[in-house]
Amino acid sequence: GAYNCFPLTLANKFGIGISFPEKISFKWNGEMDKANQILDIYEGKDFCYVDRGLGTIAFNTNLTFETDENVSTLIMPVPNQYIEGLQVLTSIISTSFFSGSIHIVCKITKPNHLIEIEKNTPVATFLPMYQFKGAKPQQVWKESLQTIKEDV
């Protein structure tokens, strides 16, 4: 197990790890403006979408998910794993109706640094997120926030 620690081992097995069948490597020049961003892609070009700007890159997984009506997919960093110079941004896709290929969006945190993701290295974790039946998400959040306020 991870560091002989049961809670870390459980977290490391959390969700579905998403990796790519070839190495991906790139370097960002540090420009934040979308029009001027320069990303040099050295390997894995077919998986990289670079026209996002603001020091971000997206990886096309070529994966689609078809889920039940009340299920979305949470995309998050792999628990307890770090890629130097890169941070996966957490997002939720409504996979109950979104039918396109899912992208993993990342913030590049180290300009002018070669970022390398080895073949078959998990980049992100996908988790199903179930909505409460009969409740609108806004209602669930409002009730949850009220509970938090009352507990404080």
Side-chain angles (χ1 to χ4, degrees), residues 6-140:
F6 185 65
L8 282 177
T9 300
L10 285 177
N12 290 346
K13 295 179 180 289
F14 200 58
I16 302 166
I18 304 300
S19 60
F20 296 92
E22 61 186 71
K23 182 177 181 176
I24 297 173
S25 65
F26 57 93
K27 190 185 289 188
W28 169 53
N29 73 349
E31 291 288 330
M32 292 298 286
D33 181 33
K34 184 173 182 172
N36 296 324
Q37 174 171 288
I38 297 189
L39 271 168
D40 293 322
I41 309 295
Y42 304 111
E43 297 172 89
K45 290 181 184 192
D46 291 341
F47 299 105
C48 299
Y49 177 72
V50 299
D51 291 333
R52 298 184 52 82
L54 302 174
T56 63
I57 186 171
F59 301 116
N60 183 3
T61 64
N62 294 316
L63 297 173
T64 58
F65 288 86
E66 185 177 322
T67 59
D68 291 338
E69 182 181 344
N70 294 320
V71 179
S72 293
T73 299
L74 172 69
I75 303 166
M76 60 179 274
V78 176
N80 304 314
Q81 177 182 302
Y82 309 95
I83 299 171
E84 187 176 354
L86 192 70
Q87 174 65 45
V88 172
L89 299 177
T90 302
S91 58
I92 297 176
I93 304 291
S94 296
T95 47
S96 60
F97 65 84
F98 178 76
S99 60
S101 176
I102 295 179
H103 288 88
I104 299 169
V105 179
C106 300
K107 175 72 175 161
I108 304 167
T109 60
K110 228 175 180 182
N112 302 309
H113 173 78
L114 180 63
I115 297 171
E116 298 179 292
I117 303 168
E118 296 297 328
K119 172 183 176 180
N120 298 324
T121 298
V123 175
T125 297
F126 286 15
L127 292 165
M129 300 293 296
Y130 298 90
Q131 295 178 5
F132 297 97
K133 288 197 182 264
K136 296 179 181 176
Q138 297 86 351
Q139 176 186 349
V140 172

